[in-house]
Amino acid sequence: MSLGNRLTLWILCLPLLVLLLVGVSALKLDTEWRKAALRDRIVTAVELQSPEMAQALFDGAQPRLDGMARRLLEIDETRGVGIYTDEGLIELEMGRNRAQVATSPPHTTQLDTGGDLWRLMMPLTVADGGGAATPQAWLELDIDTRALTLDYYRRLATAGLGLLILGLLLFVIASALGRRLDSSLDNAAEALRRLRTGDLDIRLPEEGAPELRRLARHVNALGDEMQQSRENMQRQIEQTTSELEESMETIEIKNIELDLAHRRALEANRIKSEFLASMSHEIRTPLNGIIGFCRLLGRSRLEPRQREWLDQVQVACDNLLALVNDVLDFSRMEAGRLELDRAELDMVSLVDEALALQAPLAHQKGLHLLGLVYDDVPSPLRGDPLRIRQVLTNLTHNALKFTEQGEVIVRVMVEEQNDEEQVLLRVSISDTGIGLTSQEQHNLFQAFRQAAASHPRQYGGSGLGLAISRQLVEQMGGQITVESEPSRGSTFSFTLPLAVVGNGVETSDDILGSNRVALFEPHAPTRHALNHLLTLWGGQVEEIHQPDLLPPAPALLVAALPTELNADVVEEWRARLQACPCPVLLLVNMAPLELPDLHLPRGCEILCKPVSRQALADALRRCGSARRRPAVEAREEHKARILVVDDNTINRRLLRELLQRPGLELAEAASGEEALALAEGEAFHLVLMDIRMPGMDGIEATQALRRMGGHWARCPIIAVTAHAHDSERTRLQAAGMQEVLIKPVDSNRLETILQRHLGFVPPLPAPAPTPALPAAREANVAADLAVVDLELGTRLANGSESLAYELLDQLVASLPDTLDQLREALARGDSEALLDAVHALNGACRYCGAPELALVAETLETRLRSRGMSEVSSLLEDLFSAIDRLSEWHAQRQEAPPSTAR
């Protein structure tokens, strides 16, 4: 609203509002004054005549009484007069309709002013001979005040008409003033705009009110100053340009000289790089041949001296290969050509891989090598796994190289985590080796230098490993430090800032199922680590100080073999294993080729240290499967029963195809109510529950099943949903669901759930061979996706092309109902109904080869959950367009043979 319009409103509204309030108040006061005057006048007149009327009534002088009553009726506002006795007799009544008559005589004068018809009641008393006054009758008088009310409204209307005329006059005056003010301000704004765009010739006329003339004068002065500034600037630019042209000629000559020097430097650097690459290739080629032939020669019969020589050659070749790799990495870093990758990584796997590479050296020296990744370290993370593994390998190899006895422990812990998207890890490698002085620590990270001059001769190495590790850590955004004392070992630590992928939370597997596990491990750090892992995986761990078991026998024995295994020790362990009443998992600190033949009985496993977490988990599962084999066989006879609950026919069909195997019996329910009906009469070993369903949803159905008690209080219920953010996962677990399975269902993930909750996986029938499918495309733009991708549909349909066509047909057949639900929800503005319809469509698309519609439905559901219906109009148009394109494709397919083309 412009300033002129606001001024008009103030000039018009404020005086009118004040006059209106004053006029209404004055009229109200005047009317009240008139009513008060009428009341006083009538009461006074009645009080003056009441003694005479009482005397006439006492004397029985009816004519005189009638005359006085008529005089009262002659008052303009009087409409009726009545005289009544306390015995209920009517002595006089004129002009009254007897609508209201008092039931008892009043003791004092009473005036009822409610409404427009007033009612006056006054007692008529006379004095008897003794001087006492006794009420015998009373007078009632009807008074009409409607004339006063009509006069009030008439004056109010007159005042309103006057205010209207005054308002019109004020509006004309204020509108003229406002238009004049707006015109002057618009002219000033336009002049300023033209000055800003470079039109410096504009000037305003200095006329009108003093304020407007002052504004115009200042605007014109601003234009003059800008005109003068432009002229001065133009002169300065011309002078500076002339000076720059002179300088550019000099700079151009220098640039030519620098360019020639730069080209010579680049050419020299290129020649050096090509030389390094060529020499690396030329050195590696014969070196790889030497290493290969040495390994072949090592398989043949050799004398002890020859084998010793061959071992020395093998060590020299490995050192030479490591030196070539270090020199190449150092050259890349010096040239700035080393680029870091950003991929998903798991610190547990990285540590296990790095330790596995160094395990032979640890076995050779009889050292304990252990990796500890703390539970608060998120997984997965995003970083460069190759370079992190290289740093871990370098530092671990150094620790083993300078340690003759004891242990080397790698620890990974969270140093700092400010938010859910970034974490700072601290990785430390501690050993019990020779240690370092403060001066040796100062020179440690310099290239081609080791801590002491004698170290290269005694321990080998080029002195590049720590320099490369430092540069890699700093390039990844971290820092590397060392803490050490001579003869007390060293601890190398470095920090790693890494991005957290997803919520970074891993659920622990219940591998041991709350069974008792006996643990025998003399090495304290390894014992603590194993105790923690076994407890984390559901075991009740009991640490024992000797490998012999006392009754009652545990479900599993985890034992470490001695480092020195002579014939007597081996024979002792053979007898112990044969007599052991439970499966045994043996851990030995030696190479696999050096393992003794212990004649392991059924259900026993042996692993070489350092043991990776995955290998330990797999071995525990195999030992548990051997212990549960009788129960498994009995279960296979009765079959495991699984209930699939989903309102979408396509989803149920695909889950049935994924679960179809001899060892499983499936039942289906299309709603939560149907699932409860099945649960009342049958028992199931596992339930796959959809979340969003009409009527009773998955959460309500799960809570109802849990309330049934008995078997259903502990039956595993798995949530199957297309949407599962962190808060959603927490809500589902709080409702009683053990895990979340994301649509489209991954067959490997499904197999893992069956293994975890059923204790076994029935064998799948051999699948028919399917053609190789291309790698999944990144679906970041819907326009880049196909309307139909039958190869994707075949992969989602567990490799069945016919099932892919059938699921696609079912999806297209359901689209008309989906469109009706969407339009009805939009017409009602019902966000919950719209979200239900979109969620159902999203779930159906997850199993069909319709990537375009699937992506739009997924994006729309996410937008609805996060922002509501306010910002989904464009996505709804995309959804309707994608549905139309899919329907057109299906209609064309009915007329032509199926094709996998877009």
Side-chain angles (χ1 to χ4, degrees), residues 262-501:
H262 179 65
R263 290 184 181 182
R264 287 194 296 268
L266 288 178
E267 182 64 19
N269 187 53
R270 184 187 64 81
I271 294 173
K272 184 190 73 171
S273 300
E274 290 181 357
F275 172 76
L276 287 175
S278 177
M279 289 304 298
S280 170
H281 177 74
E282 295 299 330
I283 293 175
R284 287 186 181 188
T285 299
L287 187 58
N288 289 332
I290 294 172
I291 294 174
F293 281 109
C294 287
R295 290 175 179 172
L296 291 176
L297 186 59
R299 297 179 184 177
S300 62
R301 291 185 177 181
L302 297 174
E303 296 179 1
R305 183 178 296 274
Q306 292 173 336
R307 182 165 297 279
E308 182 180 355
W309 293 343
L310 184 60
D311 292 340
Q312 295 297 328
V313 172
Q314 184 72 42
V315 171
C317 290
D318 292 339
N319 291 337
L320 181 57
L321 187 60
L323 177 60
V324 171
N325 292 333
D326 288 344
V327 169
L328 283 177
D329 285 340
F330 187 75
S331 300
R332 291 194 191 99
M333 292 178 185
E334 290 295 323
R337 300 287 297 276
L338 186 66
E339 296 182 359
L340 297 178
D341 188 16
R342 287 186 58 81
E344 290 189 8
L345 59 91
D346 177 34
M347 288 304 300
V348 174
S349 301
L350 283 180
V351 172
D352 290 340
E353 292 171 6
L355 297 188
L357 292 175
Q358 303 304 316
L361 181 57
H363 296 154
Q364 179 183 351
K365 304 181 73 170
L367 302 175
H368 290 282
L369 183 58
L370 179 62
L372 301 176
V373 180
Y374 287 33
D375 292 340
D376 57 348
V377 175
S379 180
L381 300 170
R382 190 177 300 280
D384 191 334
L386 177 63
R387 298 305 174 185
I388 297 175
R389 188 187 300 111
Q390 182 177 355
V391 175
L392 281 172
T393 303
N394 281 341
L395 296 179
T396 306
H397 181 75
N398 274 354
L400 290 172
K401 184 169 61 174
F402 293 101
T403 303
E404 296 301 327
Q405 61 181 359
E407 63 192 19
V408 173
I409 301 178
V410 179
R411 294 179 175 87
V412 182
M413 63 195 75
V414 174
E415 178 82 2
E416 181 180 351
Q417 185 169 6
N418 297 328
D419 50 36
E420 297 181 355
E421 298 180 355
Q422 191 79 16
V423 65
L424 181 65
L425 299 184
R426 175 168 293 278
V427 183
S428 63
I429 297 91
S430 59
D431 60 63
T432 55
I434 61 175
L436 298 166
T437 65
S438 57
Q439 181 62 34
E440 290 171 346
Q441 296 177 33
H442 178 72
N443 300 329
L444 194 60
F445 294 103
Q446 298 181 16
F448 302 104
R449 296 189 63 179
Q450 292 194 1
S454 60
H455 286 175
R457 294 189 298 271
Q458 182 178 357
Y459 299 101
S462 61
L464 283 176
L466 291 178
I468 293 173
S469 299
R470 177 182 61 84
Q471 294 190 38
L472 286 176
V473 169
E474 291 177 355
Q475 192 166 348
M476 288 186 288
Q479 292 182 345
I480 187 168
T481 57
V482 59
E483 297 178 1
S484 179
E485 292 184 12
S487 303
R488 293 194 177 184
S490 306
T491 299
F492 286 83
S493 302
F494 63 93
T495 56
L496 281 177
L498 300 174
V500 180
V501 180

